[in-house]
Amino acid sequence: MSRHISYKPKGVCSRMINIDVDDNNIITNLEFVGGCDGNTHGIMALVKGTKVDDVRSRLKGIACGTKATSCPDQLAIALDELEKG
């Protein structure tokens, strides 16, 4: 059964992250609402078709400038939330 989460990121420009994951734990769809358009589209293109665990391990802890978090880090946190149910 595929899963979906709409996650409201904290501390970044993006206002929402929508994620769909299939039965094999592969990200099938990703949408950032708001944020830096080129960067978020780049993230979306790179992670579609990738395993959730791989995306989390690669993106967790990335900062944006002087911020303690970033859109990639918030995506990793959203995927943690998805895994928790």
Side-chain angles (χ1 to χ4, degrees):
M1 173 154 79
S2 63
R3 296 171 288 157
H4 173 84
I5 187 171
S6 290
Y7 178 79
K8 185 168 175 58
K10 298 158 189 72
V12 296
C13 300
S14 296
R15 296 182 309 277
M16 187 67 65
I17 304 172
N18 298 305
I19 310 163
D20 293 305
V21 175
D22 71 11
D23 295 337
N24 297 314
N25 230 21
I26 303 290
I27 297 172
T28 57
N29 191 46
L30 174 65
E31 175 193 27
F32 282 87
V33 178
C36 303
D37 193 50
N39 290 334
T40 56
H41 276 85
I43 295 165
M44 291 185 288
L46 288 170
V47 305
K48 266 191 198 175
T50 305
K51 290 184 178 184
V52 167
D53 291 340
D54 292 339
V55 171
R56 278 199 317 235
S57 67
R58 291 177 186 164
L59 301 182
K60 193 134 192 130
I62 293 175
C64 182
T66 59
K67 296 178 184 179
T69 190
S70 65
C71 289
D73 183 52
Q74 289 295 300
L75 173 56
I77 293 168
L79 292 169
D80 286 342
E81 293 294 317
L82 179 70
E83 291 297 303
K84 289 178 188 175

